[in-house]
């Protein structure tokens, strides 16, 4: 058997294995210690590694064969990305990634199914160059909520469109400007932690006079109590009575929740 001297090979890399020292393992005479890219150190007969029969420690993700055929992806385009090869597998990777070249020149790792279904549009440059990113709105904590509000009222593809847009619920023209929506929130003290956007009148639109920040419990009460209320021979929603009496919906709602009669809730003076 060919004799390998550690001084000739120390520091050299073969596949994912780097020669680090002479092995002290008596079961592998003249063996070397190798450090795998995953961090594991293991002893092997140098002949096995140097001739390419083993390329990793055998116990990490580097030892797994790709489950995809890269030939089916090489040269294919998806939005701004072109597949150029398999991405080098990292120890933390649970799946195989494709390496893609973006039209801007950057490289990015993309999961095959996201590439195939055109779910990833760029390396990230598209977002960074978008007006929403440039003017800072994407970093605002209200942006996702605002975008979702617009979507469920105006996008038939939104999973909750049937509950909103299909019912005729709209977003007022003013709130199509994200920063106007932020101004409204700040004008009522901002969004408290864990509160969500709630329409006071569930049949009304998203607009300043019909919205508030509320807990999920308050929203549930709002929905269950959004019944018609009879008073003086007339039946109206609580929102309609609020507008007619000049008493805020919150005040009327809180009075009724405390057990006040309709007569008392609708006639007692509001003290500020």
């Amino acid at each position: 058997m060919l004799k390998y001297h550690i001084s000739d090979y120390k520091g050299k890399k073969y596949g994912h294995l780097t020669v680090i020292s002479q092995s002290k393992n008596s079961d592998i005479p003249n063996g070397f210690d190798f450090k795998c890219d995953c961090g594991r150190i293991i002893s092997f007969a140098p002949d096995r590694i140097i001739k390419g029969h083993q390329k990793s420690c055998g116990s990490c993700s580097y030892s797994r064969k790709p489950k995809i055929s890269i030939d089916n992806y090489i040269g294919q385009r998806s939005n701004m990305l072109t597949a150029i090869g398999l991405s080098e597998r990292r120890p933390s990777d649970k799946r195989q990634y494709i390496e893609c070249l973006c039209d801007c020149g950057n490289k990015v790792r993309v999961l095959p199914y996201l590439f195939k279904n055109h779910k990833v549009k760029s390396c990230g440059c598209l977002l960074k160059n978008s007006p929403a990113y440039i003017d800072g709105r994407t970093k605002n904590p209200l942006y996702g909520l605002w975008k979702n509000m617009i979507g469920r009222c105006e996008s038939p593809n939104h999973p909750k469109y049937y509950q909103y847009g299909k019912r005729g619920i709209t977003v007022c023209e003013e709130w199509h400007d994200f920063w106007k929506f932020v101004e409204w929130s700040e004008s009522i003290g901002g969004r408290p932690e864990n509160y969500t956007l709630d329409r006071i009148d569930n049949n009304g639109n998203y607009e300043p006079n019909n919205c508030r920040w509320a807990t999920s419990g308050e929203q549930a009460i709002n929905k269950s109590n959004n019944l018609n209320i009879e008073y003086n021979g007339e039946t109206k929603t609580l929102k309609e009575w609020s507008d007619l009496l000049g008493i805020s919906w919150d005040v009327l709602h809180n009075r009724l929740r405390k057990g006040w009669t309709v007569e008392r809730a609708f006639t007692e003076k509001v003290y500020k």
Side-chain angles (χ1 to χ4, degrees), residues 56 60-68 86 89 95-96:
S56 70
C60 65
S61 61
Y62 294 116
S63 63
R64 303 172 195 157
K65 293 182 179 179
K67 294 182 179 181
I68 64 170
L86 282 178
R89 199 151 193 169
R95 299 182 183 179
Q96 181 68 57

Side-chain angles (χ1 to χ4, degrees), residues 90-140:
R90 299 172 183 172
S92 59
D93 288 345
K94 294 182 179 180
R95 299 182 183 179
Q96 181 68 57
Y97 285 77
I98 295 173
E99 181 133 333
C100 296
L101 180 66
C102 183
D103 288 348
C104 72
N106 289 330
K107 292 181 181 179
V108 64
R109 304 168 79 234
V110 180
L111 286 169
Y113 81 93
L114 294 177
F115 179 86
K116 187 175 181 180
N117 295 328
H118 309 288
K119 296 296 185 181
V120 180
K121 298 184 183 299
S122 70
C123 67
C125 62
L126 200 59
L127 173 62
K128 292 181 180 180
N129 292 325
S130 68
Y133 186 90
I134 293 171
D135 69 10
R137 77 182 76 167
T138 57
K139 297 180 181 179
N140 191 295

Side-chain angles (χ1 to χ4, degrees), residues 155-221:
S155 174
N157 294 326
H158 194 284
K160 291 190 176 181
Y161 177 78
Y162 74 98
Q163 292 179 296
Y164 295 86
K166 195 171 183 179
R167 287 178 51 214
I169 294 171
T170 63
V171 178
C172 68
E173 183 177 351
E174 179 184 354
W175 279 5
H176 277 79
D177 181 336
F178 171 70
W179 297 111
K180 291 293 184 182
F181 177 72
V182 173
E183 287 179 12
W184 165 80
S185 177
E186 292 176 347
S187 73
I188 60 170
R191 178 191 179 189
E193 187 176 358
N194 297 324
Y195 277 53
T196 55
L197 189 64
D198 180 40
R199 285 171 297 117
I200 296 169
D201 177 4
N202 279 309
N203 295 314
N205 298 322
Y206 283 101
E207 54 190 5
N209 294 331
N210 190 44
C211 289
R212 62 173 184 166
W213 294 118
T215 64
S216 57
E218 288 172 328
Q219 288 201 29
I221 292 172

